Amino acid sequence: MSLSLLIDPTFSSAPGTDGSRDLFPDDGEYVGAIAGLQRDTTILHDLPDAVFIELYAYEMLERSCEFAPKVRGEETWRVPFWPASLLVAADISVHALREIERMMAVFDSIILVNRPQTALVPESNRVLGALRFDPELYVAAVTDQARIEGWEVQS
């Protein structure tokens, strides 16, 4: 069994064309719930950014727990953002991410696809309901994380 994670904030524009599993599909429950929250601007703006980012991380964990036992052979999962880098880019220092990450599937490899900062905005709206972090800080944080962890980086 070999499990890879592809972090690409533009993957929703071409879902699954490479045979990978989209953990945040447009027709999935999570994206539908975020879209529902976008229709209620009171909730969308009253909740702190940390709530949305941790919800995103927890959804990644939930999909991880759901799909990991079914992996046979080689499989790649796709997500738009790395949760820890989102928190850094949103200047959120108090969070539950360490606990969430400990329960996530272990990836044999993680591939980061570098995209321009402007490419982050539509995907943030789709999975976080709004732009809840500084795109420049996110790119710096996730690039630094990739260097520290030895992830493959693609342009």
Side-chain angles (χ1 to χ4, degrees):
M1 176 179 105
S2 176
L3 182 59
S4 298
L5 182 69
L6 177 67
I7 304 168
D8 184 352
T10 62
F11 76 87
S12 68
S13 61
T17 57
D18 59 1
S20 61
R21 182 188 297 263
D22 183 354
L23 295 190
F24 294 90
D26 283 337
D27 60 353
E29 184 180 328
Y30 176 85
V31 172
I34 293 297
L37 287 173
Q38 286 176 313
R39 290 188 286 276
D40 185 341
T41 56
T42 304
I43 292 174
L44 193 66
H45 297 293
D46 285 351
L47 289 174
D49 293 340
V51 169
F52 288 92
I53 293 171
E54 286 184 342
L55 183 63
Y56 170 85
Y58 186 77
E59 181 67 14
M60 195 171 154
L61 166 64
E62 195 172 321
R63 296 291 69 84
S64 169
C65 291
E66 177 184 352
F67 297 138
K70 301 172 188 173
V71 172
R72 304 289 180 263
E74 292 184 20
E75 190 164 323
T76 300
W77 296 350
R78 296 177 1 159
V79 297
F81 302 111
W82 185 251
S85 299
L86 286 173
L87 291 165
V88 169
D91 195 27
I92 298 168
S93 57
V94 178
H95 51 78
L97 192 59
R98 283 182 188 81
E99 291 78 11
I100 292 171
E101 285 180 334
R102 268 185 276 219
M103 295 182 280
M104 238 181 254
V106 175
F107 299 102
D108 297 300
S109 67
I110 297 179
I111 303 150
L112 171 66
V113 180
N114 276 333
R115 300 290 185 192
Q117 294 172 26
T118 55
L120 307 180
V121 177
E123 201 58 20
S124 179
N125 290 333
R126 189 178 80 87
V127 298
L128 299 174
L131 183 61
R132 301 190 175 279
F133 59 91
D134 180 316
E136 184 177 350
L137 291 177
Y138 175 79
V139 169
V142 76
T143 301
D144 193 45
Q145 180 89 31
R147 182 186 52 76
I148 291 167
E149 301 291 337
W151 299 346
E152 178 184 339
V153 179
Q154 299 176 353
S155 295

